[in-house]
Amino acid sequence: MSIRSKRKEEHLTLAQTFFEPEKANSFDQMHLLRPALPETRIDLDAIKTTMFGKAVNAPFFINAMTGGSPKSLLINKELGKIANQTKIALALGSASILVKEHAQLDSFLVARDANPDGIIIANINAKTVPKDAQKIVSELQADALQVHLNTVQEIAMPEGERDFRWLDNLKSLRQEITVPIIIKEVGFGLDRATIQLLKNEGFKWFDVAGSGGTNFAQIENARNQSDLSYLETLGLPTVIAAMMAQKEQVNLIVSGGVRNPLDVFKGLCLGGQYVGISNVFLQTMEQNTPEYLLRTIQNWQHELAGLLAVFGQKDLTNLASIKQYFDLPLHDLIRQLS
């Protein structure tokens, strides 16, 4: 196994080791005002929408996790099947490994094979050159491309990147890639200044991927000979990152610490067009079975439709208008950063 593939396997193991299903995060400090008499009914059609030109059964999706190793091939094959059966989108883990190790293609392609007509989102690092990125998009028949910004992870990673001058390459990617590009963090949150900068350069889609879920500084610190645990506190909470992005009026995806359908609903109320879930779905499958994850996602679809009804909503169009209020620590942070 190559060094890159070995790192992918280590990430999977450590993601499971550090997984906390009820880990507290900023969603816990966000609340929504509910009408006692909503005058609605539960309707699964209420949560159906479109994503990159294709119909989906829910506005949440399986966000980027893995690819490029033997274990990840098995995981992506099952996730592809589940995405197909539930008719939700699937984002794959970073495929930049294919530039050096094209033989790992099958570990990503199995997801497209299992989900031939659904939405597959490819993922690359910010320094992948446009020619290689477009090849990845074409080979995976990807409907969109995530470009992840992961400076905190890289600095914690023993073999990580040390040159973060990525803007010029990002601009080249925007000019040459033929599918929508999503700028994505990896659990430390996109700040407003970065969103403004990239919005001005023509980028339209942003996945804030805030703190509150998987902490890649923690994962890399477990692989590191030095103690860099102080990096684990650098994350911007998901709720704050989403509110910043919403002010910029961009196409917004909310992810980072989503644990249940209520978190999904809150992400949509924060202006997210879609909500991404990664490690919760992965560990649900790994600790049980693929069939269990399938049922879990189907249950989430029913429960999200139920939440729309409880809050008096007949579809997804007006969720951002639901009154929000916050616990004092989060409210104070919102005021400081506004």
Side-chain angles (χ1 to χ4, degrees):
M1 191 184 301
S2 71
I3 293 175
R4 299 177 189 87
S5 291
K6 185 173 182 290
R7 181 171 67 238
K8 301 262 189 179
E9 302 266 310
E10 289 173 349
H11 285 170
L12 289 170
T13 299
L14 291 167
Q16 184 174 35
T17 299
F18 294 127
F19 178 60
E20 299 178 52
E22 300 302 325
K23 181 179 180 181
N25 62 41
S26 57
F27 285 118
D28 297 321
Q29 297 186 58
M30 174 187 177
H31 309 281
L32 303 168
L33 188 62
R34 173 188 61 84
L37 183 64
E39 287 295 295
T40 49
R41 66 182 180 87
I42 297 175
D43 180 7
L44 277 173
D45 287 340
I47 65 168
K48 291 181 178 178
T49 186
T50 58
M51 189 175 189
F52 303 122
K54 293 182 178 179
V56 290
N57 280 354
F60 64 84
F61 67 101
I62 304 169
N63 213 348
M65 282 187 269
T66 193
S69 72
K71 184 176 181 179
S72 63
L73 185 149
L74 300 176
I75 290 171
N76 283 338
K77 182 177 181 179
E78 296 299 339
L79 292 177
K81 291 178 183 177
I82 291 167
N84 183 56
Q85 290 172 288
T86 57
K87 202 172 180 181
I88 62 173
L90 167 61
L92 300 170
S94 176
S96 296
I97 189 174
L98 298 180
V99 177
K100 302 287 186 179
E101 300 180 36
H102 193 260
Q104 298 291 347
L105 177 63
D106 283 349
S107 68
F108 299 92
L109 196 57
V110 286
R112 173 52 84 191
D113 291 341
N115 189 17
D117 301 315
I119 295 173
I120 296 291
I121 301 171
N123 182 304
I124 59 170
N125 63 45
K127 61 187 182 65
T128 305
V129 301
K131 173 179 64 69
D132 294 327
Q134 184 58 49
K135 182 179 180 181
I136 289 168
V137 167
S138 299
E139 289 182 325
L140 299 181
Q141 302 170 54
D143 299 279
L145 177 67
Q146 292 176 336
V147 182
H148 62 260
L149 307 183
N150 65 331
T151 56
V152 179
Q153 180 190 10
E154 292 287 353
I155 205 70
M157 188 187 302
E159 66 275 54
E161 186 67 34
R162 297 295 184 262
D163 185 345
F164 305 135
R165 294 173 293 181
W166 296 339
L167 182 58
D168 286 345
N169 193 61
L170 289 173
K171 290 192 285 188
S172 296
L173 287 167
R174 186 191 61 77
Q175 293 169 356
E176 298 189 36
I177 298 301
T178 58
V179 297
I181 294 176
I182 305 164
I183 300 298
K184 181 187 184 302
E185 241 287 350
V186 298
F188 298 96
L190 287 178
D191 61 291
R192 189 173 182 181
T194 297
I195 294 172
Q196 286 177 337
L197 170 64
L198 293 175
K199 176 185 174 183
N200 290 338
E201 293 293 345
F203 291 92
K204 298 178 179 179
W205 283 94
F206 297 86
D207 182 342
V208 295
S211 67
T214 303
N215 188 322
F216 272 98
Q218 183 184 40
I219 286 174
E220 298 299 351
N221 197 44
R223 303 177 59 245
N224 209 320
Q225 297 300 315
S226 303
D227 181 8
L228 302 178
S229 56
Y230 57 85
L231 295 173
E232 298 170 20
T233 65
L234 293 184
L236 183 66
T238 298
V239 170
I240 299 293
M243 295 179 80
M244 287 181 170
Q246 188 179 26
K247 289 179 180 179
E248 290 302 312
Q249 298 182 316
V250 294
N251 294 315
L252 173 59
I253 296 171
V254 175
S255 70
V258 177
R259 303 155 298 186
N260 54 55
L262 181 57
D263 289 346
V264 172
F265 189 70
K266 289 178 179 179
L268 297 170
C269 292
L270 287 165
Q273 290 179 241
Y274 313 107
V275 175
I277 303 97
S278 296
N279 205 24
V280 166
F281 283 168
L282 176 61
Q283 301 311 324
T284 297
M285 184 173 74
E286 290 289 275
Q287 296 175 22
N288 299 279
T289 64
E291 291 73 23
Y292 190 90
L293 176 58
L294 171 64
R295 292 193 300 272
T296 297
I297 291 176
Q298 291 169 336
N299 289 340
W300 278 37
Q301 290 173 334
H302 282 86
E303 291 166 27
L304 181 60
L307 285 168
L308 258 71
V310 164
F311 280 86
Q313 304 296 310
K314 295 180 173 62
D315 55 36
L316 299 168
T317 56
N318 295 310
L319 300 190
S321 66
I322 295 174
K323 179 68 175 179
Q324 305 169 13
Y325 59 101
F326 307 93
D327 292 347
L328 288 178
L330 184 61
H331 182 260
D332 183 54
L333 184 56
I334 292 168
R335 290 180 61 187
Q336 289 185 57
L337 295 176
S338 63

